[in-house]
Amino acid sequence: MFEQFENQKYINLETFRKSGVGVKTPVWFVQDRDVFYVWTQADSWKAKRIRNNGKVKLAPSTASGEPVGEWVDAHATTNESDFALNFTKALMRKKYGFAFLGFALMGKLRKTEHTSLKIEFQ
């Protein structure tokens, strides 16, 4: 299952509205053992949907969200703790380098609150 995510920069993350309708969003991700992490704004719609319903689906994708692999069921949670944010930031910096640093700096300048999405496979 994890093989299809190797050497991928993006996943297409499908979260679900209260109505059950899925919303797909391409995002950067990092992997630590059998868990994926995503760095996102705490007030983003995907984070809000995950707080309401942790059921998600994901597939490796292009930057535009075109799947390049099979969809997989998973469960996601949000975590705004300093430990979770620092852990995810460190993994993102290692994988995405200056691109992530620029992204993080823009968020800091705008005083954006972030959350770490923890995605575990079922």
Side-chain angles (χ1 to χ4, degrees):
M1 169 176 41
F2 292 109
E3 299 82 26
Q4 71 172 345
F5 296 99
E6 289 178 10
N7 302 315
Q8 298 292 327
K9 289 188 176 185
Y10 299 92
I11 55 172
N12 194 330
L13 177 65
E14 183 175 19
T15 55
F16 296 91
R17 295 181 177 148
K18 289 179 183 178
S19 67
V21 173
V23 179
K24 297 174 181 166
T25 310
V27 293
W28 282 349
F29 76 104
V30 290
Q31 182 177 355
D32 182 56
R33 297 185 189 97
D34 294 346
V35 178
F36 288 0
Y37 295 92
V38 172
W39 170 269
T40 192
Q41 287 183 223
D43 63 352
S44 68
W45 285 107
K46 65 183 156 292
K48 290 176 182 179
R49 288 189 293 271
I50 287 170
R51 286 186 197 100
N52 182 59
N53 177 5
K55 177 186 171 189
V56 298
K57 290 185 177 185
L58 55 128
S61 74
T62 64
S64 63
E66 185 66 32
V68 295
E70 298 297 317
W71 286 93
V72 179
D73 292 325
H75 185 267
T77 55
T78 63
N79 189 337
E80 290 87 24
S81 72
D82 287 341
F83 177 81
L85 292 172
N86 290 331
F87 179 78
T88 303
K89 274 198 313 192
L91 291 173
M92 295 295 269
R93 273 194 310 263
K94 184 176 179 182
K95 182 173 181 177
Y96 295 100
F98 287 115
F100 177 74
L101 290 175
F103 179 74
L105 178 61
M106 286 176 38
K108 191 171 189 175
L109 293 173
R110 290 183 292 161
K111 299 182 180 173
T112 303
E113 298 291 325
H114 289 93
T115 188
S116 174
L117 304 180
K118 181 179 182 182
I119 303 169
E120 299 176 281
F121 294 89
Q122 299 178 332

